[in-house]
Amino acid sequence: MTTEPGRVVVGVSGSLASLAALRRGVLEARRDGRTLVAVAAWEPPEGEILYAKWPDPAWARMWEDEARLRLNRAFEEALGGLPAALHVTCLVIRNAPGPALCAVARHPDDLLIVGTARPHGLRARTHRNPVRRYVLTAAGCAVLTVPGPRLLPGEARTLRLVPSPSFAPDTAGRHGTAP
């Protein structure tokens, strides 16, 4: 009886740290012959409680589409497109990032990878990385944190201003995007 290896689940937000995590996720998935599951989580900007008071399906679709675009753009920016010869599943989930990632990486054989920003100063250290803190305490599988790149002051802002090429998703069956 052979057991299938767990999946490599990567949280993708579009940040520089999450792009580094996505690249590491591809390496881990290739090394062990695992499926790569890229997860983009989203919530209504005003929060679920306020959204429940005044629901607007068109508004929710817009934010979901934005999360899907961010996920597709991350593959383009981090890897130049979807990796070849690797089974990739893309999921867009309406939930907070930490709970969404832990719900997907629910098997003990899974590997959960998240990017972590490099905080500067005491205040930044206490208020950053809530997703990392959540998954380290709640995940039921191994967690790998990948630090973002070291940047000089102002470099992150400059990198954000560089336009990225548009992404045309591949429909040849190498990946699927959850509705």
Side-chain angles (χ1 to χ4, degrees):
M1 179 176 167
T2 61
T3 59
E4 188 174 313
R7 302 164 302 158
V8 175
V9 179
V10 180
V12 180
S13 66
S15 70
L16 294 174
S18 78
L19 297 179
L22 183 58
R23 285 190 290 274
R24 180 62 184 264
V26 168
L27 291 174
E28 294 292 332
R30 280 199 174 125
R31 185 186 73 190
D32 298 335
R34 299 179 182 206
T35 296
L36 177 71
V37 181
V39 178
W42 70 278
E43 296 178 282
E46 67 276 3
E48 290 291 350
I49 294 173
L50 192 58
Y51 182 85
K53 285 184 172 184
W54 295 288
D56 185 349
W59 186 249
R61 272 191 308 279
M62 181 191 74
W63 284 106
E64 181 177 4
D65 291 345
E66 176 61 31
R68 185 169 284 109
L69 179 64
R70 189 174 57 239
L71 180 59
N72 292 338
R73 191 178 307 127
F75 276 98
E76 189 65 35
E77 291 175 357
L79 306 163
L82 286 170
L86 182 65
H87 186 261
V88 177
T89 301
C90 296
L91 299 175
V92 176
I93 299 174
R94 182 176 175 168
N95 200 350
L101 292 169
C102 288
V104 173
R106 64 190 176 278
H107 300 292
D109 295 347
D110 289 342
L111 172 62
L112 176 56
I113 302 177
V114 293
T116 59
R118 296 179 185 267
H120 300 286
L122 180 60
R123 180 179 154 101
R125 284 188 187 93
T126 59
H127 295 289
R128 299 218 47 193
N129 299 319
V131 175
R132 179 186 61 87
R133 284 194 312 268
Y134 184 91
V135 300
L136 286 174
T137 59
C141 65
V143 177
L144 176 63
T145 59
V146 178
R150 289 190 184 273
L151 300 174
L152 296 173
E155 277 186 320
R157 181 175 296 133
T158 303
L159 290 171
R160 288 272 178 231
L161 297 176
V162 176
S164 64
S166 62
F167 179 81
D170 177 13
T171 57
R174 283 194 292 147
H175 76 290
T177 303

